[in-house]
């Protein structure tokens, strides 16, 4: 199987995994069972209290249930505002992560070149990671506060336990993080420039260094030199040319 086909199947699997995680995270927002508490007031009647980020609800065994939204937004504690913002960010970033991944996958062929598609998929993987971490922080923060109040002996108000929505949110966040990590790894390996290819490496230049073992060999050629003039007894002088042949130097000792 070709490498491109393997990457295509990996991208499809990661997209489906992250999409399922995003759906699970979205399903927890309208669910009231983030916390619940059961109170036995009468022998035949049991009251159930449960709440989420938006409202408090109560129901009993007779089938009567009532939900009430938080009365004032400005009167809410700071942690509840932060949890709401993180939950909304998890939903929004997960949506855009799905759009980017769907555009950049190799099987859709919507983008341009292979490198462009890989970079778009890398952006989708990063967005999925942001969505997963926002959801994980939301549910972990909520669970930590509920558990702290439950085990605190000095907390005199009504104590709650973790609801099913928190565990569903944890599962969805883990799926988002897992799919985003795999997408980021494979698409970044293909689309991002490698560190070695940032600049062209110049070829190494080698300089010839003359050492005691390297010397220049004189050319084996003949040259004409002038010899001193010849003087005759009658006063005549004549300049003669003499030919001197330079013998090649065969070894270093002769040259020196």
């Amino acid at each position: 199987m070709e490498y491109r086909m393997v990457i295509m199947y990996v991208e499809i699997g990661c997209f489906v995994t992250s999409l399922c995680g995003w759906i699970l995270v979205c399903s927890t927002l309208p669910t009231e069972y983030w916390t619940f508490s059961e109170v036995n007031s009468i022998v035949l009647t049991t009251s159930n209290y449960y709440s989420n980020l938006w409202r408090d609800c109560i129901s009993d065994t007779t089938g009567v249930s009532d939900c009430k939204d938080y009365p004032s937004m400005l009167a809410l504690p700071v942690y509840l505002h932060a949890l709401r913002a993180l939950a909304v960010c998890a939903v929004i970033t997960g949506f855009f992560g799905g759009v980017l991944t769907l555009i950049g996958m190799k099987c859709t062929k919507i983008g341009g070149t292979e490198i462009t598609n890989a970079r778009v998929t890398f952006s989708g993987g990063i967005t999925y990671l942001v969505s997963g971490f926002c959801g994980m922080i939301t549910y972990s923060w909520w669970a930590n506060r509920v558990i702290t109040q439950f085990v605190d002996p000095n907390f005199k108000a009504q104590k709650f336990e973790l609801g099913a929505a928190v565990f569903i949110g944890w599962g969805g966040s883990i799926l988002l993080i897992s799919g985003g990590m795999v997408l980021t790894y494979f698409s970044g390996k293909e689309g991002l420039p490698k560190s070695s290819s940032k600049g062209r490496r110049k070829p190494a230049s080698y300089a010839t260094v003359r050492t005691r073992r390297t010397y220049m060999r004189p050319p084996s050629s003949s040259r004409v030199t002038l010899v001193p003039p010849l003087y005759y007894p009658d006063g005549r002088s004549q300049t003669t040319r003499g030919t001197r042949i330079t013998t090649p130097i065969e070894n270093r000792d002769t040259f020196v």
Side-chain angles (χ1 to χ4, degrees):
M1 186 180 295
E2 297 181 359
Y3 179 76
R4 188 178 184 280
M5 295 294 293
V6 174
I7 296 299
M8 184 177 67
Y9 290 136
V10 169
E11 288 178 350
I12 294 174
C14 293
F15 174 73
V16 173
T17 302
S18 301
L19 183 62
C20 293
W22 178 71
I23 293 175
L24 291 177
V25 171
C26 293
S27 66
T28 60
L29 295 186
T31 305
E32 289 84 8
Y33 288 94
W34 285 54
T35 57
F36 75 95
S37 177
E38 183 176 340
V39 179
N40 297 323
S41 57
I42 310 176
V43 178
L44 299 178
T45 304
T46 302
S47 300
N48 296 321
Y49 296 90
Y50 45 93
S51 62
N52 61 356
L53 298 174
W54 320 100
R55 63 179 65 90
D56 290 326
C57 298
I58 183 174
S59 64
D60 53 25
T61 54
T62 61
V64 178
S65 61
D66 185 23
C67 293
K68 181 181 180 181
D69 295 334
Y70 295 129
S72 175
M73 184 176 179
L74 298 178
L76 296 177
V78 178
Y79 84 94
L80 201 56
H81 288 289
L83 291 177
R84 286 181 175 183
L86 287 172
V88 173
C89 287
V91 174
I92 294 176
T93 53
F95 172 77
F96 284 107
V99 173
L100 291 173
T101 305
L102 189 62
I103 293 175
M105 285 194 305
K106 298 183 182 300
C107 61
T108 56
K109 299 181 181 179
I110 298 178
T113 61
E114 294 287 338
I115 296 180
T116 304
N117 287 341
R119 291 176 179 176
V120 173
T121 308
F122 179 80
S123 302
I126 293 295
T127 313
Y128 271 142
L129 285 176
V130 173
S131 176
F133 281 115
C134 286
M136 185 65 69
I137 293 173
T138 302
Y139 303 112
S140 299
W141 193 351
W142 180 273
N144 178 68
R145 187 173 181 86
V146 172
I147 294 174
T148 302
Q149 293 178 355
F150 187 84
V151 299
D152 187 7
N154 298 322
F155 187 75
K156 302 301 181 182
Q158 185 176 355
K159 296 183 178 181
F160 291 87
E161 298 182 8
L162 296 179
V166 177
F167 298 98
I168 295 174
W170 274 333
S173 301
I174 291 174
L175 291 178
L176 283 170
I177 294 174
S178 301
M181 287 182 64
V182 177
L183 276 177
T184 303
Y185 174 76
F186 283 100
S187 59
K189 188 178 180 181
E190 181 180 359
L192 297 183
K194 299 179 177 58
S195 58
S196 60
S197 62
K198 289 183 179 179
R200 293 184 177 180
R201 298 182 60 183
K202 296 182 179 180
S205 59
Y206 298 93
T208 304
V209 181
R210 296 188 63 182
T211 60
R212 296 184 61 182
R213 294 183 177 273
T214 59
Y215 58 90
M216 296 181 63
R217 181 177 180 178
S220 58
S221 61
S222 60
R223 59 183 178 178
V224 178
T225 57
L226 294 177
V227 297
L230 298 178
Y231 294 92
Y232 295 95
D234 55 358
R236 294 180 296 108
S237 65
Q238 183 180 3
T239 303
T240 51
R241 292 185 172 219
T243 303
R244 186 174 63 184
I245 301 175
T246 304
T247 59
I249 300 176
E250 298 295 340
N251 51 35
R252 182 174 179 275
D253 297 334
T254 307
F255 174 74
V256 175

